Amino acid sequence: MERRCVLNSWSKEEVRAVIRYEWARGVSGTEIHNRLVEVYGPGVMSKQMVRRWCRTFSDGRQQVEEYRELDGRAWPLQMQMSGRWMTRLERTGVSPSMK
């Protein structure tokens, strides 16, 4: 049976959430990759990266968003402000919360 791509677009966070869900159900990294390719197509994510995300979730990570270090703290990329706005926050001593 020929596999077909059902969804033509996706976000990294969406794919990671699927990986986390399938990992929690006990599905192997190889099988998760096969399922992702079946739905999203061959360019979705490499098998090695799927396995890496499975290990990351096994190590305790729960977030699927990307993080980057700012001032020694991890911030979701969505919360990172432009330099001008961040400078204003620093001057006032206010920082975005990580709730």
Side-chain angles (χ1 to χ4, degrees), residues 70-87:
L70 291 176
D71 300 329
R73 294 177 286 182
W75 296 90
L77 290 181
Q78 298 93 326
M79 293 181 68
Q80 294 177 24
M81 318 316 176
S82 69
R84 195 171 116 209
W85 207 74
M86 193 60 145
T87 302

Side-chain angles (χ1 to χ4, degrees), residues 2 12 17-18 20-22 24 26 30 33 38 44-45 50 54-55 59 69 76 82 87 96 99:
E2 183 180 331
K12 291 179 181 180
V18 171
R20 183 172 178 242
Y21 172 80
E22 295 290 355
T30 299
H33 180 261
E38 185 176 336
V44 64
M45 184 182 284
V50 170
C54 289
R55 279 192 307 274
D59 291 343
E69 292 287 322
S82 69
T87 302
K99 294 181 181 178

Side-chain angles (χ1 to χ4, degrees), residues 47-60:
K47 191 181 298 185
Q48 293 82 4
M49 189 58 73
V50 170
R51 289 181 183 148
R52 183 180 295 169
W53 276 103
C54 289
R55 279 192 307 274
T56 301
F57 293 132
S58 292
D59 291 343

